[in-house]
């Protein structure tokens, strides 16, 4: 029974099990088929898609920063170079936990909170996969500390970078300006232009002020690119392909570094400005605004403390007096007013006036005083009036000229308008007129105000550069020139920030510097004023007598002089002096003393150099400003006889890190090599 | 007939007909051994690349394989009857150990799965249950007539659910599901009525919603959501799936070559030497490499199915079938998970993924299979 049962059941059990086994195997083959299909689908039908995704994972394009153009003085002295510097940089895309990493890095490299905050700001403005710098100028110790800890610092790298350095930062801060990290506003502007956005992809610094700003497009160069393979942690393993960046164009300035340095020395301890121009070409041979600052401070971000000191200093070291300082020209305006009177036939060289020490307008009780209380005598002619700076004489001819004619004539010397020098932020001074007064003050012009204009006071204001340029125009008998910082035969295409495309601009620059295309001084020359030579001689002779004449206001500097020069002193009031009040320079506070001015040109026979000197609160022009001008002329004339003061591109100083190769890309190779070295070393 | 089909396979008959008794004497199934050695060797080649050419890791895996193969041969020496007798004991010990895990277990990454008993290497009791549960269910059901009655079914489910419940609280959903699968496979092979099968399927579908909201942990839900839309969390949970699919897809027909997979060598692929190792294989050896491995696995399953069919008693049939198909479930879940068809549940690829414990259990199972085979006529 049991046996039978067992047999029957065993057979049925066998059947049940076999059914299940067959069903299981069917399911099994079905599932195996699905799996196989899944892999066929991924690996065959979607191959292209995933192959691309895989390459995108590992291959990235990195922009390569072009080497910024170097800046030389007219003799080839290096004024702005690029020095290698190592910075700690973080690529956000590779970082697992930024907050933890930052705390870690802060402890490792002793980074303060402010740097971290600044880093976070930069982080918000970065482009994808851009390594954002956190700490700059790492020393050897910090670099080795990074190497030791690198294994746990995913996404952190040491970036070798060329950083701007100004070997003569103090001397040239107001001329060259400086570069600084690109700020938010600048970044937005760059991003608004697709071509510029690409070109600045690797660039951290941009010209902020001065020539660095004005010639930004020229100096910047064209970005290069690098295709790199990197692992999941962002470590670059090898460079697959590279397009070298095109270095920025070098600038050669018209400024003479040695003269500039001497002038800086002359102005030490003073506030003021000296501008030296070549009267024929407009070359700025020196332009100093004192006090100054070290432009290197700004390159990697100046500390709040240092910046506060500069900003809040009563001496305004950040203020570029040469281009932006507007001063009453004082008596230095007199040669031009005198020329106007001759030109309009109001006087001749033999016309004289009586100077009792004051001047009164008809039907006006007010006394207009001469600086000399007792007056210059009863027969003062134009020659004497300029030589001895007689105010009364100029009150008289100004009154007779009237404001309209003074305005029109003086304007021809470039006063009241920008000189057009190749730098931004130049100010235009102020050449008052009836229209101007009506527009700005809503008042009519009063005759008494004309008298003040005649002696360069009142509303009239001029920048030191304008004074130098108008003096140059006097020296060349009316051939006005546009002052320029770039050596006249090395002019790159002028950078117009809005209009000039980057590529075109750079090409133009390369051509200009290779062929040495001259834009010549004739192009640069403005309208001839059209005054007869006889009148010019009259004014020139009088200005010569200021220095060389026995009674000249600057006769003190004419002693033991080996050449002949022409000049004019000026002493401009800073505070108004009430009617009948005594003026005592000694007694009033230093900051309220008169500004001392001097303008001049030399050599007298064949004018070549024009100089304008302004010493704020310097007292009198003859005592303070004129001796400085003399020393400048001495240097110029001495150098002028020894050599022709021409540029010497052949003897250019070479920057320390690399040769100044004319081949594009060669300069940057050293950077790339060092970058590779950094990657390999760690 | 299926039996004729299987007989034509290597080892079915023919090839070593001259001395099948020699193999039987040592209780070794040589076709199964050969296939397993082939897969393990293939795995070592892939592992060397996946571990970043780490010779130490390769050596460790080799030693683990050696130990596991020895365990397999030892397991093969047990008579089927002995195994059946020991099954309840193994099950009981396993359940006790599982119950001990929450009390004396070691916490790793927020989960308590390991037990550190003095005098023993650290181990996971859930590994033991992968074998103990199917053995226990098979032993239990072989005492009744098939198909089993309702009472037997209920008892069987209880046998399965008790350890699974303990494992799921560790929490270790993946292992718990695999243990359940191995037990359920026995019931299914024993002839579970179709009405229960369909009923179970329906109830699973019906319970999906409450399960989703109440039973699943946040990270488990995230895994499932990420599966359907990996791009939603590119750098988080989606990263693994995106990178593994990219690795597989970019392998193409023939792959990028050994040691040349950019996804794996450049460390874009996570867990490349453990759960995601198939992605390394797919990237470096291409579709051909994947299909080669898949065919080896299929041959193992077919050999196992043959052993199951030719087993002389019900216990042997059920155990052999369950072990064989559970093995395939591991393969399937891993391949599907890495290629983005299933959520990431942490199932290693048998014999290929790095890791010793799972391999010992796996090969001990194949040892039991060999024991069953050696007692066929």
């Amino acid at each position: 029974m049991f046996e039978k049962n067992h047999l029957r059941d065993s057979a049925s059990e066998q059947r049940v099990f076999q059914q299940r086994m067959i069903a299981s195997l069917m399911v099994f083959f079905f599932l195996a088929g699905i799996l196989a299909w899944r892999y066929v689908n991924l690996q065959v039908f979607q191959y292209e898609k995933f192959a691309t995704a895989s390459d995108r994972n590992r291959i990235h394009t990195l922009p390569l920063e072009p080497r910024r153009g170097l800046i030389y003085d007219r003799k080839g002295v290096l004024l702005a170079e690029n020095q290698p510097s190592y910075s700690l940089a973080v690529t956000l895309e590779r970082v697992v936990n930024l907050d933890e990493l930052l705390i870690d890095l802060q402890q490792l490299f002793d980074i303060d909170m402010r740097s971290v905050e600044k880093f976070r700001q930069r982080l918000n403005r970065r482009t994808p996969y851009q390594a954002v710098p956190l700490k700059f100028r790492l020393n050897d110790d910090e670099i080795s500390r990074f190497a030791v800890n690198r294994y746990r610092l995913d996404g952190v790298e040491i970036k070798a970078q060329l950083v701007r350095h100004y070997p003569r930062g103090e001397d040239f801060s107001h001329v060259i300006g400086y570069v600084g990290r690109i700020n938010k506003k600048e970044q937005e502007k760059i991003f608004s232009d697709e071509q510029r956005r690409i070109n600045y992809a690797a660039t951290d610094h941009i010209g902020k002020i001065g020539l660095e700003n004005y010639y930004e497009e020229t100096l910047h160069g064209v970005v290069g690119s690098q295709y790199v393979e990197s692992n999941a942690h962002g470590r670059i393993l090898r460079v697959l392909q590279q397009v070298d960046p095109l270095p920025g164009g070098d600038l050669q300035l018209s400024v003479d570094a040695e003269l500039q340095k001497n002038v800086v020395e002359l102005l030490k301890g003073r506030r003021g400005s000296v501008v030296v121009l070549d009267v024929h070409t407009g070359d700025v041979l020196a332009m100093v605004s004192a006090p100054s600052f070290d432009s290197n401070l700004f390159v990697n971000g100046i500390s709040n403390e240092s910046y506060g000191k500069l900003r809040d200093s009563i001496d305004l070291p950040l203020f570029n007096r040469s281009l932006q300082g507007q001063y009453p020209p004082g008596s230095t305006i007199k040669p031009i007013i005198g020329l106007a009177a001759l030109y309009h036939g109001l006087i001749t060289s033999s016309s004289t006036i009586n100077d009792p020490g004051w001047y009164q307008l008809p039907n006006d009780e007010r006394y207009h005083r001469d600086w000399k209380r007792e007056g210059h005598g009863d027969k003062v002619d134009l020659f004497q009036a300029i030589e001895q700076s007689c105010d009364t004489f100029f009150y008289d001819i100004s009154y007779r000229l009237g404001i309209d004619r003074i305005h029109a004539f003086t304007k021809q010397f470039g006063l009241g308008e920008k000189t057009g020098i190749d730098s931004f932020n130049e100010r235009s001074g102020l050449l008052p007129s009836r229209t101007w007064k009506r527009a700005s003050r809503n008042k009519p012009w009063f005759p008494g105000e004309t008298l003040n204009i005649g002696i360069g006071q009142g509303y009239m204001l001029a920048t030191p550069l304008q004074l130098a340029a108008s003096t140059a125009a006097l020296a060349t008998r009316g051939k006005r020139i546009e002052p320029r910082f770039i050596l006249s035969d090395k002019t790159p295409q002028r950078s117009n920030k809005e209009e000039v495309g980057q590529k075109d601009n750079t090409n133009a620059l390369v051509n200009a510097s290779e062929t040495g295309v001259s834009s010549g001084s004739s192009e640069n020359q403005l309208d001839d004023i059209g005054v007869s030579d006889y009148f010019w001689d009259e004014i020139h002779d009088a200005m010569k007598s200021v220095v060389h004449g026995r009674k000249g206001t600057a006769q003190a500097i004419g002693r033991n002089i080996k050449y002949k020069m022409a000049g004019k002193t000026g002493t401009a009031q800073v505070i108004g002096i009430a009617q009948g009040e005594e003026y005592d320079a000694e007694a009033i506070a230093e900051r309220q003393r008169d500004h001392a001015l001097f303008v001049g040109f030399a050599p007298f026979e064949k004018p070549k150099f024009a100089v304008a000197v302004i010493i704020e609160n310097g007292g009198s022009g003859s005592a303070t400003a004129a001796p400085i001008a003399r020393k400048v002329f001495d240097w110029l004339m001495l150098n002028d006889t020894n050599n022709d003061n021409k540029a010497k591109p052949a003897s250019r100083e070479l920057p320390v890190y690399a040769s100044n190769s004319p081949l594009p890309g060669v300069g940057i190779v050293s950077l790339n090599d060092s970058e590779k070295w950094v990657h390999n070393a760690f | 007939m299926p039996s004729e089909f299987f007989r034509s396979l290597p080892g079915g008959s023919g090839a070593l007909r001259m001395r099948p008794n020699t193999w039987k004497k040592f209780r070794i199934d040589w076709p199964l051994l050969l296939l397993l050695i082939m897969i393990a060797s293939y795995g070592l080649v892939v592992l060397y690349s996946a571990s970043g050419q780490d010779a130490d890791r390769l050596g460790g895996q080799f030693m683990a394989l050696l130990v596991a193969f020895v365990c397999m041969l030892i397991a093969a020496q047990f008579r089927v009857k002995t195994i059946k007798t020991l099954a309840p004991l193994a099950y009981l010990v396993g359940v006790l150990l599982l119950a001990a895990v929450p009390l004396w277990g070691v916490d790793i990454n927020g989960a308590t799965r390991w037990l550190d008993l003095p005098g023993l290497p650290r181990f996971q009791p859930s590994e033991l249950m992968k074998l103990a549960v199917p053995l226990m269910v098979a032993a239990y059901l072989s005492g009744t007539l098939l198909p089993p009655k309702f009472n037997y079914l209920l008892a069987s489910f209880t046998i399965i659910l008790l350890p699974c419940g303990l494992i799921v609280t560790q929490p270790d959903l993946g292992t718990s599901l695999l243990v359940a699968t191995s037990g359920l496979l026995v019931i299914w092979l024993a002839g579970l009525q179709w009405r229960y099968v369909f009923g179970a399927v329906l109830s699973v579908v019906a319970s999906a919603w409450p399960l989703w909201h109440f039973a699943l942990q946040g990270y488990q839900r995230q895994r499932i959501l990420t599966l359907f839309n990996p791009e939603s969390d590119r750098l988080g949970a989606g990263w693994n799936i995106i990178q593994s699919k990219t690795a597989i897809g970019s392998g193409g027909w023939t792959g990028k070559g050994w040691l040349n997979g950019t996804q794996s060598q450049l460390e874009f692929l996570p867990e490349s030497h453990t759960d995601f190792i198939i992605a390394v294989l797919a990237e470096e050896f291409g579709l051909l490499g994947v299909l080669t491995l898949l065919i080896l696995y299929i041959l193992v399953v077919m050999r196992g199915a043959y052993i199951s069919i030719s087993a002389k008693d019900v216990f042997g049939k059920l155990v052999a079938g369950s072990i064989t198909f559970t093995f395939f479930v591991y393969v399937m879940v891993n391949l599907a998970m890495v290629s983005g068809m299933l959520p990431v549940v942490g199932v290693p690829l048998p014999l290929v993924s790095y890791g010793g414990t799972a391999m010992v259990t796996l090969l001990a199972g194949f040892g039991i299979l060999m024991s069953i085979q050696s007692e066929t006529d």
Side-chain angles (χ1 to χ4, degrees):
Chain A
M1 186 68 184
F2 176 81
E3 190 76 356
K4 204 178 176 184
N5 248 347
H6 181 73
L7 271 179
R8 196 199 70 205
D9 290 333
S10 173
S12 96
E13 277 181 346
Q14 192 73 28
R15 205 172 56 246
V16 167
F17 180 76
Q18 264 184 16
Q19 280 173 0
R20 289 303 155 99
M21 204 62 200
I22 290 166
S24 299
L25 283 169
M26 278 164 64
V27 171
F28 158 69
F29 280 115
F30 177 70
L31 290 176
I34 287 181
L35 276 181
W37 174 249
R38 174 69 177 172
Y39 281 77
V40 168
N41 186 21
L42 287 178
Q43 299 195 275
V44 177
F45 299 117
Q46 296 193 59
Y47 167 71
E48 294 287 339
K49 175 185 152 191
F50 287 116
T52 312
S54 156
D55 280 345
R56 252 209 315 265
N57 259 346
R58 68 187 178 101
I59 299 173
H60 294 108
T61 317
L62 295 179
L64 293 178
E65 184 179 8
R67 175 181 68 75
R68 195 170 174 88
L70 306 172
I71 302 178
Y72 296 97
D73 90 330
R74 67 188 294 116
K75 287 174 181 159
V77 176
L78 193 61
L79 302 180
E81 61 175 333
N82 308 298
Q83 287 186 341
S85 161
Y86 297 98
S87 55
L88 193 71
V90 176
T91 309
L92 188 66
E93 279 80 358
R94 321 286 199 194
V95 175
V96 184
N97 186 328
L98 184 67
D99 295 334
E100 280 176 19
L101 179 75
L102 283 179
I103 291 169
D104 198 359
L105 289 176
Q106 263 184 285
Q107 286 167 350
L108 258 176
F109 296 99
D110 191 27
I111 301 166
D112 58 22
M113 278 317 289
R114 193 167 160 271
S115 307
V116 174
E117 267 167 44
K118 283 200 156 183
F119 166 77
R120 284 187 186 277
Q121 287 167 13
R122 282 195 287 273
L123 211 56
N124 292 332
R125 306 197 301 262
R126 81 196 196 289
T127 50
Y129 288 98
Q130 187 191 0
V132 180
L134 172 63
K135 187 181 169 79
F136 302 97
R137 291 177 190 276
L138 298 181
N139 55 34
D140 289 349
D141 182 44
E142 288 164 325
I143 290 174
S144 52
R145 224 177 300 156
F146 172 78
V148 171
N149 291 288
R150 179 172 191 157
Y151 70 95
R152 60 189 177 88
L153 299 177
D154 273 358
V156 184
E157 63 183 298
I158 285 197
K159 227 168 111 180
Q161 218 185 3
L162 289 176
V163 170
R164 203 62 157 173
H165 175 71
Y166 304 101
R168 295 163 185 249
E170 290 264 7
D171 294 355
F172 282 90
S173 51
H174 287 301
V175 173
I176 294 176
Y178 49 80
V179 297
R181 317 211 125 261
I182 296 174
N183 64 30
K184 196 176 175 188
K185 216 173 125 193
E186 288 156 346
Q187 176 110 2
E188 278 165 6
K189 210 175 161 198
I190 289 168
F191 272 42
S192 65
D193 175 355
E194 181 62 14
Q195 213 172 16
R196 262 194 108 201
R197 190 180 69 76
I198 293 167
N199 202 30
Y200 277 76
T203 307
D204 292 328
H205 291 82
I206 194 166
K208 297 279 183 179
I209 63 165
L211 296 178
E212 290 275 28
N213 173 290
Y214 191 83
Y215 287 107
E216 171 62 27
E217 306 264 335
T218 300
L219 289 165
H220 181 268
V222 180
V223 71
S225 57
Q226 199 176 40
Y227 294 87
V228 296
E229 184 181 77
S230 50
N231 68 9
H233 313 294
R235 191 168 309 166
I236 294 170
L237 302 174
R238 61 194 166 119
V239 176
L240 304 172
Q241 201 192 332
Q242 179 166 330
V243 179
D244 286 332
L246 194 63
D250 297 344
L251 296 183
Q252 186 157 23
L253 303 192
S254 55
V255 181
D256 187 308
E258 200 188 328
L259 175 62
Q260 180 87 0
K261 186 168 179 275
N262 288 335
V263 176
V264 168
E265 288 296 320
L266 290 174
L267 288 183
K268 194 151 260 173
R270 296 187 180 278
R271 279 167 282 111
S273 168
V274 171
V275 178
V276 183
L277 295 178
D278 181 313
V279 299
H280 298 296
T281 58
D283 284 359
V284 177
L285 297 170
M287 179 184 278
V288 175
S289 172
S292 180
F293 60 92
D294 183 2
S295 34
N296 290 307
L297 290 173
F298 286 84
V299 174
N300 269 328
I302 187 168
S303 73
N304 266 344
E305 193 191 350
S306 311
Y307 183 68
K309 253 185 213 162
L310 287 174
R311 185 194 51 208
D312 302 333
S313 165
I314 190 170
D315 292 336
L316 305 177
L318 295 176
F319 181 53
N320 187 350
R321 292 171 161 82
S322 312
L323 294 179
Q324 294 179 285
Q326 304 185 108
Y327 303 91
S331 301
T332 62
I333 199 72
K334 284 174 181 169
I336 297 174
I337 303 291
L339 191 64
L342 288 172
Y343 176 75
H344 285 291
L346 298 178
I347 53 165
T348 66
S349 54
S350 53
S351 309
T352 60
I353 61 141
N354 173 33
D355 172 18
W358 46 264
Y359 182 81
Q360 257 185 324
L361 284 171
N363 311 319
D364 187 352
E365 298 209 340
R366 190 187 151 98
Y367 286 94
H368 294 269
R369 292 187 301 184
D370 195 286
W371 65 272
K372 204 172 176 182
R373 289 201 59 169
E374 65 276 19
H376 290 86
D378 58 358
K379 278 193 173 170
V380 180
D381 61 9
L382 176 63
F383 185 90
Q384 289 170 304
I386 291 176
E387 182 193 46
Q388 298 163 27
S389 202
C390 171
D391 291 340
T392 310
F393 186 90
F394 284 95
Y395 289 143
D396 182 52
I397 59 172
S398 305
Y399 174 64
R400 288 160 65 194
L401 276 166
I403 183 62
D404 299 332
R405 285 198 280 191
I406 289 179
H407 176 85
F409 194 84
T410 314
K411 193 173 159 58
Q412 297 181 83
F413 284 82
L415 295 172
E417 62 189 30
K418 292 180 179 178
T419 63
I421 196 167
D422 45 352
S423 191
F424 290 113
N425 303 325
E426 183 192 3
R427 289 175 80 170
S428 58
L430 177 58
L431 184 57
S433 65
R434 287 181 203 278
T435 338
W436 165 81
K437 196 175 179 201
R438 177 58 71 186
S440 66
R441 306 279 158 109
N442 197 24
K443 275 182 188 157
W445 187 266
F446 300 115
E449 290 168 336
T450 313
L451 303 193
N452 273 337
I453 301 304
I455 60 161
Q457 295 274 170
Y459 298 121
M460 193 175 205
L461 294 172
T463 66
L465 177 65
Q466 283 177 324
L467 289 181
S470 63
T471 306
L474 271 175
T476 55
R477 301 180 179 238
K479 290 193 177 63
R480 264 175 71 196
I481 39 90
E482 191 174 287
R484 62 199 316 153
F485 282 118
I486 298 300
L487 206 57
S488 42
D489 62 340
K490 296 273 174 192
T491 309
Q493 186 169 326
R494 220 170 110 171
S495 139
N496 187 323
K497 289 197 139 184
E498 266 65 43
E499 288 160 28
V500 184
Q502 178 59 36
K503 235 173 195 150
D504 300 340
N505 190 33
T506 309
N507 290 342
L509 169 72
V510 169
N511 290 340
S513 58
E514 275 174 2
T515 58
V517 175
S518 170
S519 55
S521 53
S522 56
E523 252 178 62
N524 208 11
Q525 186 174 302
L526 304 179
D527 309 333
D528 204 304
I529 295 175
V531 177
S532 86
D533 270 345
Y534 177 78
F535 295 152
W536 285 114
D537 288 343
E538 191 72 24
I539 298 298
H540 281 193
D541 286 344
M543 287 177 74
K544 180 177 146 194
S545 206
V546 168
V547 179
H548 301 285
R550 204 172 47 80
K551 285 186 163 178
T553 50
Q555 52 87 22
I557 67 163
R559 290 173 203 152
N560 303 323
I561 196 164
K562 292 195 178 98
Y563 53 89
K564 293 275 184 285
M565 63 175 279
K568 182 72 197 79
T569 57
T571 303
Q573 285 173 14
V574 174
I575 51 166
I577 295 171
Q579 199 74 50
E581 193 182 317
E582 280 301 313
Y583 176 80
D584 182 1
E586 297 291 320
I588 57 177
E590 198 266 341
R591 300 262 161 191
Q592 295 181 335
R593 278 161 63 183
D594 292 345
H595 293 332
L597 293 94
F598 185 87
V599 298
F601 59 86
F604 178 75
E605 298 79 11
K606 214 180 157 201
K608 188 160 167 50
F609 307 111
V611 172
V613 177
I614 287 183
I615 305 298
E616 285 180 16
N617 314 116
S620 89
S622 48
T624 315
I628 290 173
R630 160 81 196 263
K631 282 181 181 136
V632 173
F633 277 121
D634 278 355
W635 189 92
L636 285 166
M637 298 305 293
L638 192 72
N639 269 266
D640 201 37
T641 47
N642 288 350
N643 60 59
D644 61 359
N645 211 27
K646 275 276 155 63
K648 293 180 198 158
S651 65
R652 279 187 183 184
E653 247 177 81
L654 297 180
V656 257
Y657 64 93
S659 70
N660 177 39
S661 166
L663 290 172
V666 170
I668 204 70
V669 165
S670 63
L671 169 64
N672 293 336
D673 284 344
S674 61
E675 230 170 20
K676 269 175 211 156
W677 176 80
V678 171
H679 289 306
N680 292 340
F682 309 118
Chain B
M1 280 305 285
S3 54
E4 279 164 56
F5 173 71
F6 290 116
R7 203 162 292 140
S8 67
L9 288 172
S13 64
L16 288 184
R17 180 178 279 179
M18 294 305 288
R19 20 186 208 113
N21 292 330
T22 319
W23 290 104
K24 280 227 167 134
K25 202 167 122 194
F26 293 106
R27 300 176 66 88
I28 292 170
D29 182 46
W30 73 264
L32 199 54
L33 181 68
L34 187 68
L35 286 170
L36 293 176
I37 288 174
M38 281 170 76
I39 294 173
S41 312
Y42 194 7
L44 285 174
V45 171
V46 179
L47 180 72
Y48 182 63
S49 175
S51 63
Q53 296 159 48
D54 185 341
D56 289 348
R57 193 162 272 172
L58 191 72
Q61 177 80 343
F62 183 76
M63 290 311 294
L65 276 168
L66 223 59
V67 169
F69 271 95
V70 168
C71 285
M72 176 180 80
L73 297 182
I74 292 171
Q77 306 314 309
F78 286 91
R79 294 189 60 80
V80 180
K81 205 183 271 178
T82 319
I83 294 169
K84 188 176 173 183
T85 317
L86 288 175
L89 185 65
Y91 178 82
L92 198 69
V93 170
V95 170
L96 287 175
L97 288 174
L98 274 180
V101 166
L103 303 175
W104 297 291
V106 184
D107 193 316
I108 297 173
N109 296 332
T112 314
R113 300 171 183 176
W114 297 80
L115 206 53
D116 211 353
L117 294 181
L120 283 174
R122 184 183 289 188
F123 71 104
Q124 296 187 35
S126 55
E127 281 299 323
L128 178 61
M129 295 316 278
K130 285 180 183 173
L131 281 179
V133 166
L135 285 175
M136 179 64 203
V137 177
Y140 176 67
L141 289 181
S142 61
T144 179
L145 288 177
L146 300 185
K149 302 272 185 320
F150 182 76
N151 288 348
Y152 281 86
L153 285 177
L154 210 62
S156 303
F157 280 120
T158 313
I159 290 169
I160 296 167
L161 286 178
L162 178 64
C164 284
L166 287 169
I167 296 168
V168 95
T169 54
Q170 286 179 353
D172 189 352
L173 184 68
T175 307
S176 151
L177 286 176
L178 288 171
V179 169
T181 304
S182 64
L184 291 172
L185 270 168
V186 176
I187 303 178
W188 152 259
L189 289 170
L192 178 68
Q193 284 85 344
W194 284 105
R195 60 174 185 273
Y196 294 127
V197 176
F198 292 125
V201 170
L202 280 177
S203 61
V204 164
V205 171
S207 65
W209 188 85
L211 208 65
W212 175 263
H213 281 277
F214 302 114
L216 289 183
Q217 307 271 352
Y219 76 96
Q220 293 164 334
R221 253 177 274 170
Q222 188 56 47
R223 277 178 180 176
I224 296 169
L225 283 177
T226 307
L227 172 77
F228 295 114
N229 186 13
E231 298 289 331
S232 68
D233 188 10
R234 267 201 79 88
L235 295 175
W239 172 268
N240 290 13
I241 295 172
I242 291 172
Q243 295 305 339
S244 67
K245 279 169 74 178
T246 304
I248 295 166
S250 63
W253 273 104
T254 53
K256 298 174 184 172
W258 190 49
L259 304 179
N260 284 330
T262 56
Q263 286 289 101
S264 44
Q265 303 303 329
L266 300 178
E267 298 166 45
F268 288 100
L269 194 63
E271 313 276 340
S272 62
H273 62 281
T274 55
D275 292 356
F276 282 73
I277 197 165
I278 187 66
V280 179
L281 188 151
E283 186 185 25
E284 299 191 344
F285 298 122
L287 181 65
L288 296 179
V290 174
L291 293 182
T292 304
L293 183 69
L294 191 61
I295 286 167
L296 288 174
Y297 281 134
I298 289 171
L299 290 176
V300 167
V301 171
M302 286 167 73
R303 180 65 189 168
Y306 170 77
I307 292 170
S308 170
I309 286 166
S310 51
K312 68 174 188 199
D313 67 347
V314 171
F315 175 74
K317 283 180 195 296
L318 294 180
V319 167
S322 166
I323 288 174
T324 302
F325 288 117
T326 305
F327 169 76
F328 181 69
V329 168
Y330 289 163
V331 174
M332 187 193 74
V333 169
N334 180 274
L335 294 192
M337 156 187 118
V338 176
S339 63
M341 297 170 82
L342 283 178
V344 179
V345 283
V347 175
L349 187 61
L351 293 167
V352 178
S353 285
Y354 179 77
T357 327
M359 215 138 55
V360 172
T361 326
L362 189 84
L363 286 182
F366 280 112
I368 294 170
L369 224 60
M370 288 185 180
S371 161
I372 294 165
Q373 201 273 335
S374 65
E375 289 179 24
T376 54
D377 303 315

